[in-house]
Amino acid sequence: EPEVTQTPSHQVTQMGQEVILRCVPISNHLYFYWYRQILGQKVEFLVSFYNNEISEKSEIFDDQFSVERPDGSNFTLKIRSTKLEDSAMYFCASSVSRGARGAFFGQGTRLTVV
Amino acid sequence: DAKTTQPTSMDCAEGRAANLPCNHSTISGNEYVYWYRQIHSQGPQYIIHGLKNNETNEMASLIITEDRKSSTLILPHATLRDTAVYYCIVRRNTGANSKLTFGKGITLSVRP
């Protein structure tokens, strides 16, 4: 079965540094998402992206965050100046449409800010 | 999206059916019931979804009550690998809102 691929699997960064989390969605999918999960807490929606623009974002997704689809295959999440509280698992997801089978999730990138 | 209520945890014996309940009493007519699971901090995995008819796929069955206020996810022959957190999510499939809102889910423990 096709899958969503995320790299790296684990990233450690110093507070204040910029990080870019990378995702390769499933090739024929049109909708792309980022979610995060702080250790022991719920999975939280960050942003959805369709037709090369953000279609929805949560309150968490402030000016420190940005997303980009730089080419036909990658989908990235950038955190400009990381804070300790950004430490979490970040999950990328993609879907063919808003409904259908729902979104396919990657295995996540564990971001640790020290 | 309507709110869902699930028990915190349950367990079942390996090889037996696991029946995971979910209440969604405020569901509206155009909202679907989705089930996802998350195995030990891996990415959430889609299981099944439905509107009002019962649904079955290779992973599970979804039984939705006639009034749509509750549903049950059935894993017919649970294995140890089915130990996970299972999320019941209610969501519209149209409009600008396409996000999934995860709650705390129900932790299913399958015992040998």
Side-chain angles (χ1 to χ4, degrees), chain B residues 9 15 21 28-29 32 35-36 38 44 48 57 67-68 75 80 90 92 96 107-108:
Chain B
S9 64
S28 58
Y32 287 71
W35 282 84
Y36 279 76
Q38 188 176 25
I48 199 167
N57 64 19
D67 64 7
R68 302 184 70 239
L75 307 178
L80 299 179
V90 169
R92 286 172 300 160
T107 300
L108 173 68

Side-chain angles (χ1 to χ4, degrees), chain A residues 11-66:
Chain A
Q11 173 123 22
V12 181
T13 188
Q14 290 203 320
M15 192 168 54
Q17 294 296 304
E18 174 184 287
V19 294
I20 297 176
L21 309 182
R22 302 182 191 280
C23 169
V24 178
I26 295 172
S27 61
N28 64 334
H29 285 190
L30 302 175
Y31 293 79
F32 313 109
Y33 313 86
W34 284 100
Y35 289 76
R36 80 171 186 190
Q37 186 175 31
I38 295 170
L39 187 64
Q41 298 188 22
K42 300 177 190 178
V43 177
E44 301 173 291
F45 168 78
L46 292 178
V47 66
S48 60
F49 191 86
Y50 169 70
N51 201 24
N52 282 321
E53 60 183 26
I54 291 173
S55 50
E56 188 179 4
K57 60 183 180 179
S58 71
E59 291 177 354
I60 303 167
F61 195 88
D62 61 22
D63 292 343
Q64 292 298 314
F65 292 88
S66 62

Side-chain angles (χ1 to χ4, degrees), chain A residues 61-79:
Chain A
F61 195 88
D62 61 22
D63 292 343
Q64 292 298 314
F65 292 88
S66 62
V67 289
E68 196 176 37
R69 189 157 159 80
D71 53 41
S73 59
N74 291 288
F75 180 51
T76 62
L77 174 70
K78 182 193 290 186
I79 309 175

